Amino acid sequence: MTLPWEADLAGRLDRHTIHSAALEGNHLGDPADRPLWVYVPPGYDDDPGVRYPTVYVIQGYTGYLTMWANRTAYRQPFPEMADELFASRQAPPCIVVYVDAWTVYGGSQFVDSSGTGQYHTYLCEDVVGWVDTNYRTLAGPEHRGIHGKSSGGFGAMITPMLRPDLFGGFATHAGDSLYEYCYIPEFGKAVRNLRDYDGSIDRWWSDFRGRVAFTKPADENLLMMLGISACFSADPDGTPRLPFDPHNGVLDQDVWGRWLDWDPVRMVPRYADALRSQRAIWIDGGTSDEWFLEIGGQAFSDALGAIGITDVHFELFEGAHGRIDYRYPMALAYLAERLSAPSVR
Amino acid sequence: MTLPWEADLAGRLDRHTIHSAALEGNHLGDPADRPLWVYVPPGYDDDPGVRYPTVYVIQGYTGYLTMWANRTAYRQPFPEMADELFASRQAPPCIVVYVDAWTVYGGSQFVDSSGTGQYHTYLCEDVVGWVDTNYRTLAGPEHRGIHGKSSGGFGAMITPMLRPDLFGGFATHAGDSLYEYCYIPEFGKAVRNLRDYDGSIDRWWSDFRGRVAFTKPADENLLMMLGISACFSADPDGTPRLPFDPHNGVLDQDVWGRWLDWDPVRMVPRYADALRSQRAIWIDGGTSDEWFLEIGGQAFSDALGAIGITDVHFELFEGAHGRIDYRYPMALAYLAERLSAPSVR
Amino acid sequence: MTLPWEADLAGRLDRHTIHSAALEGNHLGDPADRPLWVYVPPGYDDDPGVRYPTVYVIQGYTGYLTMWANRTAYRQPFPEMADELFASRQAPPCIVVYVDAWTVYGGSQFVDSSGTGQYHTYLCEDVVGWVDTNYRTLAGPEHRGIHGKSSGGFGAMITPMLRPDLFGGFATHAGDSLYEYCYIPEFGKAVRNLRDYDGSIDRWWSDFRGRVAFTKPADENLLMMLGISACFSADPDGTPRLPFDPHNGVLDQDVWGRWLDWDPVRMVPRYADALRSQRAIWIDGGTSDEWFLEIGGQAFSDALGAIGITDVHFELFEGAHGRIDYRYPMALAYLAERLSAPSVR
Amino acid sequence: MTLPWEADLAGRLDRHTIHSAALEGNHLGDPADRPLWVYVPPGYDDDPGVRYPTVYVIQGYTGYLTMWANRTAYRQPFPEMADELFASRQAPPCIVVYVDAWTVYGGSQFVDSSGTGQYHTYLCEDVVGWVDTNYRTLAGPEHRGIHGKSSGGFGAMITPMLRPDLFGGFATHAGDSLYEYCYIPEFGKAVRNLRDYDGSIDRWWSDFRGRVAFTKPADENLLMMLGISACFSADPDGTPRLPFDPHNGVLDQDVWGRWLDWDPVRMVPRYADALRSQRAIWIDGGTSDEWFLEIGGQAFSDALGAIGITDVHFELFEGAHGRIDYRYPMALAYLAERLSAPSVR
């Protein structure tokens, strides 16, 4: 093992900032100029005639781009693990694109929303367009994949459903799904947490913004409640609507219905053709995921089976929601393999 | 404080066994002869002309009658606390009836079900009829109440809705309600627990019955799943139907709908008149109840408010789901007071 | 399975109250008249010439005698399980004596202490004497055993060490031992819990006595701290001394040393002969005991091995500290077998 | 608030690699060339005649230097917070030195040990010497401080005790101390964790090194056990000795005594003069620290008081062991202030 503080890449990681037309004037005032990391595998510069499949990598809730450089003991950051995969020829060469979709609420769920911004459009038009223009990609969907964990896993599931013209493969680790299971327990906690704020999430937000973050146990839960509401159930003017009554927990069926419309398990039948067009689907989750997301993965996998999609890598592994980054290279290798295959069209 | 092993009642606790026609031939083969404890307050035997209000006390899941005699350190069993209430004249005298509704699945939810038995009928016809025949009760609904915790709180909420001709008051501590909150997290755990049983709750049941109970962490959760399914969603032949797919957690909307039909919060509008006829309603719950049942209590209380019922004692107290028996005498005193008031008819 | 509310014993359980000279004038003012249950096996009354081995059964902290009658779902109280053992001839017949050693602090640890009372003397002189006088016991130590769990397991370990003239066998389930492991984490919690009481356990005790018990999370921990201090490290005038500074946790080596003198693991070499005289030793514990008591059991067992005692039943089982009453009959059968063997003297 | 991915320093962070003579040939084969970050405050380059106090910053267990660049949501890395402190003149300017003391066991405790290496000497001679040579420091101890959290807090406590000629101030957040409290519960867990490895920590280490780290729940506990043993109780040949019997938990008093010799609370009387020479002492900890380290901080503070040192900033704050990096700038400002004061000698 090399020492933890040493890491040289065999490939090259380019750090860019791109401008997103889609994010201009977004509701939260987050910047339209975004960092973008593009990794090219070893050999990319040797033969200017070769084009490569591309895998877009997106992050979980509260993630932002530079966190990919974070280091932990006895493990390597994903960009280094990914590089090693290509350097050692365990996976066919790919371009890997690290995308930032941070908002001041902690995330975007990679959807277009009046409450956050046009992050789906940003990803599909601005980022993909820029990458295809500036790198030697194989630009067809059969050579473009998307990968993520948690909220990033959610984004990886839904983006190809919405844009099969762009994406032909995806991998999700513990991706948000089966929303009764992952969200309703959070609603219960939120009702409790909001007791100190007279049931007003706005009051909590004001409090949160005026002090050191995450010094109160309620912070993580309420941030997620506010943020996901902004993504899935904002009013036309951008105001987030909670899917439950903050005083008594009763679900607002209209608002909750807007959330359920974004449940990947429920989306499968609506996007059956898009899903059938995928060349690579990887789904996994830890058997003790704190949000039951491995059950969501199972449900999503079974929903695919119900529309005839059985060529899926589905796997439960021992573990919870955290510390599962070691799973990412496995999925990346799977995507790289599938998306490198010759086009059949 | 008297010593913990000493307790003499000021009133009298009669231990009977009654035969229930309703429970004859019940699906689970549980006995139709049931123990019944009837407590009469001090003075009952002094004046044979006096009639008394009656409060029926029912138990939580896995409770059976003789558990009322269980002792814990520094506290008294409820029958002793109740006796003290009457002995000290903190509450007007009442007859208190302790009802057994155990089944081999751990409980009955006090409903009529092909999966367990006719426990609602047993309670309302056989038990109430027997008590009214054998004790000097004030037999009108305005003088008859029901009290319980957890599943017993559920029973206390629904029984007066179904039989306002019998019950004119009720008290619920952490009663089952707002079913998304209290049940769906259990479904998630059940899916996990059933992995060791190939997704078959029957296999678990066989295993459970063949060894010492509660030696596996899964036991409590799966017992509740099986039992509540038997109560709320049994087939006509008595087979319990789980409201979710045991492999992937997906809700079976038909079966789940049968459960939701029994959600007290959702039942309120359907039983508005019955509820409006109640003279006493007590609802409480601990602020950190493991099943979010205090939120359910709030939702139930708010649902009552929405149909114009505001004369309700609603209270959140610090505590969780266990060790809240000290709340029972408060509610009993409240019921006794309200149900002792002269009839207004 | 018989129904949970039904239980007839094949043997006979006699409920007595005895007077204890040793407990007269005890520091806490607890009664010197104590309940005592004596169970005689089936056949006891048939042949007045037969004498029986005796097993004394003692309880864990906060236990008092009548709690033996407590019922839980799907299990039988120990007196019923024990009866079944003898009724079914799975164990040779024994007299089983259920002893009460409650104090207002929740327990006595079965030692003589200025802080609680002479509970060791009470047990060994008053109780054993009374039983031998009133029942047809085999009165030699080779036919007398003692059994308990948790604090009762502790009592079962130390009593035969102190009085090998009386006891020739014992069984301990998760008995208090290896005190660094079971107690020091409690000290840490106590320091925190005492912050609300200016570091004064007396203030907590006043608070505790003036309200419903166990409504504050600190109660269990502080009760144990106070009670065990009263047992192991009371001043001559009965004042309990905590073994740590309540403000900063620093151990008081003198006081802590008094506790360690009562650590069964450390007592083994001092009482080697007494231990070598035992005909039956059963030690078990759950692998995830919240107080690491199965590790204490292992240490105790190894300490016995170090003095040449290897004929020991030692067992780790899957489980924690609670709900392990199903283990008791196994140990009782073991004791009954060993203590029924003909005397070899 | 600036966006999370943007950060420009007002001062300058120089990234060096230095060679340590002390670490040459260390037992674990860890490198003798170490990264070192030296931060100079705004204005450092403006006037070459000005010299600055210096604060050395060390890390907790499993920390290594480049982890200081890790980013988390809604917070800034400490080097950025520190820079802001100086940029905004909330603290007088200092040089801040970020030191790496990683070993393959996860840490060094900043002591000289045959089991890891000469990390105390490395820190005090090699690092301090190099910094004083290459930067314009005020080289007297009255202007040199040390700061850390957890194991780093421990290092910050002991290093000035050992080398008051070098260090005249320190700050510890939740530093290891009061070893019974922080370590003995870990020993209990370790005994359990080692059951899968026949009680051999070497077997665990082999397993750990041959797979992805931290995929087993036992990993963190056993890593700490092995590593701290290597730091505090290695044989002359470098073999770590556990302070307890891995089968039964019994403390090895000799080995445990070697650990206790490194307990800061116990070290205070031995190093009274060194401690009295400190110009700045900051001690804090979270009220629910998982290792009771705030109690250790209280005990350390009280031990200082017992030798007459009362000019100490001691504080308990609401929080646990994690996410307390927001406390670091407070302590740094305190050190900067005290260590900037004119020398009084």
Side-chain angles (χ1 to χ4, degrees), chain D residues 132-272:
Chain D
D132 281 347
T133 300
N134 289 279
Y135 286 86
R136 300 197 313 275
T137 62
L138 289 163
E142 63 272 31
H143 300 298
R144 190 183 290 108
I146 184 165
H147 166 279
K149 176 219 167 181
S150 197
S151 285
F154 167 75
M157 284 185 275
I158 62 155
T159 305
M161 288 199 235
L162 299 172
R163 294 297 302 271
D165 59 310
L166 292 182
F167 291 97
F170 64 88
T172 168
H173 308 283
D176 301 3
S177 50
L178 207 60
Y179 281 6
E180 301 93 334
Y181 287 71
C182 63
Y183 282 128
I184 286 180
E186 296 299 316
F187 299 168
K189 295 174 203 165
V191 170
R192 287 177 178 169
N193 288 329
L194 288 170
R195 285 177 189 148
D196 286 339
Y197 299 94
D198 287 328
S200 164
I201 200 153
D202 292 337
R203 284 198 196 179
W204 168 79
W205 179 243
S206 295
D207 173 45
F208 179 77
R209 296 300 283 163
R211 57 173 167 83
V212 177
F214 303 121
T215 48
K216 294 192 178 174
D219 286 350
E220 285 195 82
N221 164 258
L222 293 179
L223 179 68
M224 184 200 291
M225 290 298 96
L226 179 62
I228 307 294
S229 295
C231 295
F232 289 162
S233 54
D235 285 346
D237 71 357
T239 306
R241 292 287 161 210
L242 294 177
F244 56 91
D245 184 312
H247 291 284
N248 62 28
V250 173
L251 295 181
D252 181 318
Q253 293 298 340
D254 287 337
V255 180
W256 177 231
R258 294 178 68 185
W259 286 47
L260 292 180
D261 286 344
W262 280 114
D263 182 350
V265 177
R266 289 168 165 85
M267 290 172 73
V268 166
R270 271 184 282 145
Y271 295 93

Side-chain angles (χ1 to χ4, degrees), chain A residues 22 27 41 72 93 101 115 142 161 167 172 233 241 245 273 295 301 310 341:
Chain A
H27 180 68
T72 62
E142 63 272 30
M161 289 200 235
F167 291 96
T172 169
S233 54
R241 292 287 160 211
D245 184 311
D273 286 342
I295 301 179
S301 176
T310 56

Side-chain angles (χ1 to χ4, degrees), chain C residues 290-302:
Chain C
E290 288 83 351
W291 287 271
F292 297 118
L293 293 175
E294 94 282 14
I295 301 179
Q298 179 79 64
F300 183 68
S301 175
D302 289 356

Side-chain angles (χ1 to χ4, degrees), chain D:
Chain D
M1 183 192 183
T2 57
L3 287 165
W5 50 84
E6 296 177 340
D8 287 316
L9 298 184
R12 194 182 73 228
L13 188 67
D14 299 332
R15 291 174 175 79
H16 304 283
T17 298
I18 68 166
H19 181 78
S20 164
L23 296 186
E24 287 175 9
N26 67 75
H27 181 69
L28 296 173
D30 287 313
D33 290 336
R34 290 299 174 115
L36 184 75
W37 291 357
V38 182
Y39 168 87
V40 296
Y44 181 87
D45 296 325
D46 298 343
D47 182 346
V50 179
R51 291 189 164 268
Y52 294 85
T54 318
V55 177
Y56 289 77
V57 174
I58 54 181
Q59 296 174 298
Y61 213 73
T62 72
Y64 55 88
L65 195 69
T66 48
M67 287 171 64
W68 281 120
N70 285 1
R71 307 196 71 88
T72 61
Y74 300 98
R75 292 194 183 177
Q76 286 178 277
F78 177 47
E80 295 180 15
M81 291 192 287
D83 176 68
E84 194 178 301
L85 208 60
F86 299 118
S88 63
R89 298 177 188 275
Q90 295 174 64
C94 281
I95 294 168
V96 183
V97 182
Y98 297 90
V99 180
D100 185 279
W102 167 265
T103 75
V104 74
Y105 285 160
S108 71
Q109 299 299 86
F110 313 96
V111 300
D112 287 345
S113 160
S114 62
T116 52
Q118 303 299 94
Y119 282 87
H120 173 67
T121 302
Y122 152 71
L123 169 59
C124 291
E125 298 298 331
D126 300 338
V127 175
V128 171
W130 191 92
V131 169
D132 281 347
T133 300
N134 289 279
Y135 286 86
R136 300 197 313 275
T137 62
L138 289 163
E142 63 272 31
H143 300 298
R144 190 183 290 108
I146 184 165
H147 166 279
K149 176 219 167 181
S150 197
S151 285
F154 167 75
M157 284 185 275
I158 62 155
T159 305
M161 288 199 235
L162 299 172
R163 294 297 302 271
D165 59 310
L166 292 182
F167 291 97
F170 64 88
T172 168
H173 308 283
D176 301 3
S177 50
L178 207 60
Y179 281 6
E180 301 93 334
Y181 287 71
C182 63
Y183 282 128
I184 286 180
E186 296 299 316
F187 299 168
K189 295 174 203 165
V191 170
R192 287 177 178 169
N193 288 329
L194 288 170
R195 285 177 189 148
D196 286 339
Y197 299 94
D198 287 328
S200 164
I201 200 153
D202 292 337
R203 284 198 196 179
W204 168 79
W205 179 243
S206 295
D207 173 45
F208 179 77
R209 296 300 283 163
R211 57 173 167 83
V212 177
F214 303 121
T215 48
K216 294 192 178 174
D219 286 350
E220 285 195 82
N221 164 258
L222 293 179
L223 179 68
M224 184 200 291
M225 290 298 96
L226 179 62
I228 307 294
S229 295
C231 295
F232 289 162
S233 54
D235 285 346
D237 71 357
T239 306
R241 292 287 161 210
L242 294 177
F244 56 91
D245 184 312
H247 291 284
N248 62 28
V250 173
L251 295 181
D252 181 318
Q253 293 298 340
D254 287 337
V255 180
W256 177 231
R258 294 178 68 185
W259 286 47
L260 292 180
D261 286 344
W262 280 114
D263 182 350
V265 177
R266 289 168 165 85
M267 290 172 73
V268 166
R270 271 184 282 145
Y271 295 93
D273 287 342
L275 288 162
R276 288 192 193 102
S277 76
Q278 301 297 305
R279 308 177 90 193
I281 301 181
W282 172 291
I283 305 163
D284 69 15
T287 50
S288 55
D289 187 284
E290 288 83 350
W291 287 272
F292 297 117
L293 292 175
E294 94 283 14
I295 300 179
Q298 179 79 62
F300 183 68
S301 176
D302 289 355
L304 294 176
I307 59 164
I309 302 174
T310 56
D311 181 17
V312 168
H313 180 95
F314 174 72
E315 189 178 349
L316 297 183
F317 56 86
E318 279 195 40
H321 197 69
R323 283 190 161 168
I324 64 172
D325 49 297
Y326 76 95
R327 305 280 314 172
Y328 304 175
M330 303 178 199
L332 179 59
Y334 182 86
L335 291 179
E337 192 68 42
R338 292 288 181 105
L339 299 172
S340 296
S343 303
V344 291
R345 300 186 182 187

